[in-house]
Amino acid sequence: VKKIKSAVTDTGREVVFDETGKPGISNLLIILSACTGKELGELQDAYSGKGYGDFKADVADAVVQLFAPVRARYAELVADPAYLDEVLAQGRAKAKVVAEATMAAVRERVGLLPAR
């Protein structure tokens, strides 16, 4: 929220999509569109007559809302270090099998002796 509310904007008060004249506002409109699924024109019309403060607050809220499930899942995962260790160990075992096969092929092609 803090990053979005302190994002660099452009002169004026109009929330309009103009990548050349208003790149800061245009960027925030793209972010809001991506978070809400609404078209740029629809968003531009919704903020007609409103200032940057209201607009930035809505962009921040949309970003927070979009990432809320990811943040919640992250919190669940970090709360269980044993589970994370187990997942890492399983990944390491799978990667080891693939890496050993790859290295065996490389050694054969390069003409090195097999690993002992």
Side-chain angles (χ1 to χ4, degrees):
V1 170
K2 183 178 176 184
K3 288 285 187 185
I4 291 173
K5 286 188 176 184
S6 65
V8 174
T9 49
D10 314 295
T11 58
R13 290 184 35 85
E14 315 83 40
V15 177
V16 293
F17 186 79
D18 178 2
E19 287 183 297
T20 306
K22 292 184 164 283
I25 291 298
S26 297
N27 185 45
L28 291 174
L29 276 167
I30 291 169
I31 291 170
L32 185 57
S33 175
C35 291
T36 62
K38 295 180 180 177
E39 296 293 324
L40 292 173
E42 179 183 352
L43 292 171
Q44 186 173 288
D45 292 343
Y47 290 97
S48 178
K50 295 183 182 178
Y52 289 169
D54 294 334
F55 173 63
K56 284 182 171 184
D58 289 348
V59 174
D61 290 343
V63 170
V64 167
Q65 187 176 6
L66 177 70
F67 286 99
V70 175
R71 290 176 59 111
R73 181 67 176 136
Y74 173 80
E76 286 176 31
L77 291 172
V78 248
D80 189 357
Y83 173 73
L84 290 177
D85 290 341
E86 178 185 329
V87 170
L88 289 171
Q90 290 172 358
R92 183 173 38 250
K94 287 180 183 178
K96 183 178 179 183
V97 170
V98 173
E100 285 175 348
T102 301
M103 287 308 298
V106 168
R107 285 185 188 99
E108 180 182 332
R109 290 182 184 149
V110 174
L112 299 175
L113 295 174
R116 291 183 184 181

